[in-house]
Amino acid sequence: MFLRFFGRLSASLLVLLSALWACLALWYQLPVPSALKIAAAVLWAGFGLVAIALLWRGRAARALLSYAVGFAMLMSWWGTILPSQNREWADDVARQLIAHVDGSVVTMQNVRNFDWRSDTDYTQRWETRRYDLDRIRSVDVALSYWTGPAIAHTLVSFGFDDGQFVTFSIEIRKKRGESFSSIGGFFKQFETSLVAADEHDILRVRTNVRGEDVYMYRVSLPQPAMRSLFMGYLDEGAALVRAPSFYNTLTANCTTIVYALAKHVVPGLPMDWRLLASGYLPDYLYDVGGLTAGYSLEALRAQGRITDRAIAADKTPGADFSQAIRQGLPGTGATP
């Protein structure tokens, strides 16, 4: 008796969860007006509830078979939804990174260097820049917080001994007029974009325009590992040019892809829940010995907050943005 009850309960939960997923999938991907999306979701919810009701009335085989066939048909449709390169993209992700490597010199096309006045008012600039991989001297991780301590956007910035910096950011490739949705990120709403940008663009837009709180940490890596990580980003960019892929809020986001690249540079990096709760990435890096030694995590966090320095740089004519935000940053040697 208990086993029968437990089996029905387990099957009911499975149907309930899959029906919830199906309703959201229909809402985010069914190519019809909103009213028809709602109708489709309501019908599927009713389908799931009927299956559960039949299950508890002793008609388990009929209920589960009917639901399984329906769900299989839904998954067949889901498999036809493929990522695309050809949509009406938002301006800031309209172009893709193209890189050419000649020995140690990398020529990167479509490096973004927008001048942002607001999220909707900006001057577009896409530039071609050259970087000598033999001259990489630093790797900094920046975390941009906008909704509490657990969620942050991860950016990785490379510094060169000639004073250049370039920042890589894995982002959603949103369409014109579209905004980010963490739930939509589970349901093929966005493709993935790799943005390479000037720090005055990609960090300043977060601190000075969007009002996000940004922290920067110097990462301890030997120069060959820095170079390998840089090349990993170029490989990721080339892969996205060859074949688009969907962004996923859980499995293919800004932090999990950084980890996937980094574990090829530093073998044996442990998987950790803080790679999913990206706001706690600095805690993870500190625990694996990846941040500047000789400081507590609290000190690194306090001195790594660049928000006020970024805002102040705007008020100082001629200020070097990248140098200004690093004043007092542990590991850089730049005193405040």
Side-chain angles (χ1 to χ4, degrees):
M1 189 70 177
F2 173 77
L3 291 178
R4 181 181 299 175
F5 174 82
F6 182 76
R8 287 177 177 176
L9 181 62
S10 299
S12 297
L13 288 174
L14 181 61
V15 171
L16 187 64
L17 292 174
S18 63
L20 175 60
W21 182 91
C23 290
L24 289 170
L26 290 168
W27 171 257
Y28 280 103
Q29 288 299 334
L30 201 61
V32 296
S34 297
L36 292 180
K37 289 184 179 184
I38 293 173
V42 169
L43 286 173
W44 192 274
F47 181 36
L49 292 174
V50 168
I52 292 173
L54 290 174
L55 179 65
W56 286 95
R57 290 183 178 183
R59 301 177 184 178
R62 179 184 301 177
L64 294 179
L65 179 60
S66 298
Y67 187 82
V69 170
F71 194 76
M73 293 173 64
L74 181 79
M75 292 305 297
S76 296
W77 161 73
W78 186 253
T80 66
I81 303 171
L82 302 175
S84 173
Q85 301 280 32
N86 302 310
R87 305 191 194 278
E88 190 178 353
W89 304 114
D91 290 336
D92 57 331
V93 289
R95 302 192 187 186
Q96 292 180 290
L97 173 65
I98 299 174
H100 303 280
V101 181
D102 183 11
S104 66
V105 177
V106 177
T107 301
M108 293 168 51
Q109 298 176 342
N110 298 329
V111 176
R112 202 182 76 194
N113 188 20
F114 282 24
D115 183 16
W116 297 89
R117 291 173 291 276
S118 74
D119 256 339
T120 56
D121 180 18
Y122 46 81
T123 301
Q124 295 188 51
R125 286 196 297 264
W126 296 96
E127 301 175 350
T128 296
R129 296 189 177 186
R130 290 177 176 82
Y131 304 95
D132 189 340
L133 299 182
D134 289 339
R135 304 181 71 174
I136 293 179
R137 292 296 180 266
S138 66
V139 176
D140 297 311
V141 170
L143 280 298
S144 185
Y145 296 81
W146 74 93
T147 179
I151 304 298
H153 182 71
T154 305
L155 309 96
V156 177
S157 190
F158 293 83
F160 298 78
D161 65 5
D162 59 359
Q164 290 194 91
F165 290 88
V166 62
T167 302
F168 291 102
S169 175
I170 298 289
E171 303 188 2
I172 62 168
R173 197 176 189 195
K174 59 185 181 294
K175 296 180 281 293
R176 191 176 300 278
E178 194 174 40
S179 57
F180 176 71
S181 165
S182 56
I183 298 177
F186 287 104
F187 294 96
K188 298 185 178 182
Q189 186 175 5
F190 311 108
E191 279 83 2
T192 298
S193 175
L194 174 64
V195 176
D198 189 285
E199 289 186 334
H200 187 264
D201 168 337
I202 204 163
L203 295 181
R204 179 182 167 276
V205 71
R206 288 171 164 79
T207 55
N208 296 33
V209 175
R210 297 176 184 166
E212 299 176 12
D213 205 15
V214 180
Y215 293 75
M216 179 175 283
Y217 303 85
R218 177 59 51 93
V219 179
S220 299
L221 281 176
Q223 205 274 346
M226 297 181 194
R227 179 171 179 155
S228 182
L229 183 59
F230 192 100
M231 289 300 300
Y233 272 105
L234 298 188
D235 291 342
E236 180 70 18
L240 290 173
V241 170
R242 289 193 302 270
S245 67
F246 282 119
Y247 178 94
N248 185 283
T249 302
L250 185 64
T251 62
N253 58 45
C254 60
T255 304
T256 56
I257 292 177
V258 170
Y259 170 75
L261 294 171
K263 71 178 183 180
H264 293 294
V265 178
V266 186
L269 277 178
M271 190 62 181
D272 194 283
W273 65 270
R274 289 169 292 187
L275 295 169
L276 302 178
S278 52
Y280 299 114
L281 179 63
D283 305 64
Y284 170 80
L285 294 173
Y286 184 84
D287 287 346
V288 299
L291 299 183
T292 302
Y295 295 83
S296 66
L297 180 59
E298 291 71 23
L300 292 172
R301 184 175 287 117
Q303 296 178 54
R305 185 173 182 268
I306 69 169
T307 307
D308 292 338
R309 299 195 288 267
I311 294 172
D314 260 8
K315 302 174 183 178
T316 307
D320 184 316
F321 183 82
S322 293
Q323 296 300 328
I325 63 176
R326 287 176 172 80
Q327 292 301 308
L329 186 71
T332 65
T335 56

